Amino acid sequence: MEFPRPIGPVERRLADALERGPIHLTLLDPEKSDPATSARLARGAVEMGSHGILLGGSTGISRERMDASARAVRAAVDVPTIIFPEGATSISAEADAILFMSLLNSRNLDLVIRTHARASLLVARLGLEAIPLGYLVIAPGMRVGEVGQVDAVARDDPLAAQGYALAAELLGMRWVYLEAGSGAPLPVPVEMVRAVRSVLRTPLIVGGGIRSGPEAAALLGAGAQVLVTGTIAEAEGAGPSLRAILDEVNRARRG
Ligand code: 1GP
């Protein structure tokens, strides 16, 4: 018997990259950008040093669009292309892997576990690598907070974030993701990242509202190991904000 479930090649690659320091993932929304645009944005971000591409959004991605975007992005870059799902229609065998994520603080059980129960056999049948992840929305939460029917963790409640994060780890999830929401005016508070890092062994992903080098540096300093940015790449391509953030990530990798 293999116990626990073995780590797949994409997760292994990310974990190996983390051995040398923090990494950055670029989130692209296949509904906002057509497949060719997603491929172009992905290439720009990877040329600048991003370590992987997440494909996802909060609403309305059809299977066809996800397939086409994953195919285009995967052909354009040599880093992993990973689905950041919004529901069962996001599942595509064209990607390298899927974040098999439970929205830990949703009031809607579909998003905590029921959709997963409906989708798991398909994921296995497709041979799609599933990366087990606990996803926690921190205020303000933005669109994902609304669509996800979330009881957002208050920004001044690091203890609650610690509790959820450690519960996810004890349940066997191998990654924990703190999400302030795409376009959030401020990222997840640095103190909360530090508090969560102090109780976790799994890698810690932080995203939502990261727009500048100093913000990235503060989150990395607090122990974030994976930074995710979406809006800046979609707004300005591989522009100066993304460069400043990647400079911080790569500085931390060297130092
Ligand atoms: C990923 O939702 C975020 O965690 C992306 O947020 O669009 O604000 O970068 P931004």
Side-chain angles (χ1 to χ4, degrees):
M1 172 184 185
E2 288 218 69
F3 181 80
R5 200 175 175 78
I7 290 179
V10 171
E11 202 178 344
R12 180 81 271 150
R13 188 167 165 187
L14 296 177
D16 286 348
L18 284 176
E19 296 283 340
R20 295 187 295 278
I23 62 174
H24 174 272
L25 301 177
T26 301
L27 172 64
L28 300 174
D29 184 344
E31 280 304 311
K32 286 193 191 141
S33 304
D34 61 32
T37 307
S38 293
R40 181 173 53 75
L41 293 173
R43 198 178 302 114
V46 170
E47 277 167 7
M48 236 179 220
S50 190
H51 300 88
I53 304 296
L54 297 177
L55 289 179
S58 299
T59 42
I61 302 171
S62 67
R63 172 79 43 81
E64 294 69 32
R65 181 47 88 88
M66 186 57 96
D67 280 344
S69 296
R71 205 178 302 123
V73 168
R74 204 178 182 190
V77 298
D78 61 2
V79 299
T81 301
I82 304 169
I83 298 169
F84 186 5
E86 53 134 3
T89 58
S90 306
I91 297 166
S92 167
E94 301 289 341
D96 294 308
I98 184 169
L99 299 181
F100 205 78
M101 52 201 269
S102 173
L103 179 40
L104 301 170
N105 54 338
S106 175
R107 294 183 299 279
N108 182 346
L109 275 183
D110 285 347
L111 304 176
V112 180
I113 187 65
R114 281 196 296 228
T115 301
H116 314 63
R118 288 193 289 267
S120 59
L121 295 173
L122 173 62
V123 169
R125 195 161 61 239
L126 293 174
L128 187 57
E129 180 179 338
I131 299 177
L133 180 146
Y135 186 55
L136 185 64
V137 175
I138 314 301
M142 312 304 283
R143 183 90 182 116
V144 72
E146 284 167 35
V147 179
Q149 299 167 57
V150 149
D151 284 332
V153 173
R155 297 178 65 82
D156 61 356
D157 193 357
L159 201 58
Q162 281 180 315
Y164 272 111
L166 187 55
E169 181 176 300
L170 297 183
L171 283 164
M173 298 172 191
R174 290 198 289 254
W175 301 73
V176 170
Y177 192 143
L178 301 182
E179 170 71 271
S182 182
L186 290 171
V188 174
V190 166
E191 288 316 317
M192 184 176 280
V193 171
R194 186 170 293 120
V196 169
R197 179 69 271 157
S198 73
V199 297
L200 271 195
R201 293 185 178 194
T202 63
L204 179 58
I205 307 172
V206 178
I210 306 170
R211 292 186 188 76
S212 71
E215 283 171 335
L219 293 167
L220 294 170
Q225 287 148 298
V226 184
L227 296 186
V228 181
T229 65
T231 303
I232 53 165
E234 252 146 357
E236 51 178 66
S241 309
L242 185 60
R243 180 173 299 282
I245 291 165
L246 282 166
D247 280 351
E248 295 300 335
V249 171
N250 287 316
R251 198 192 322 276
R253 289 180 73 72
R254 282 194 304 271

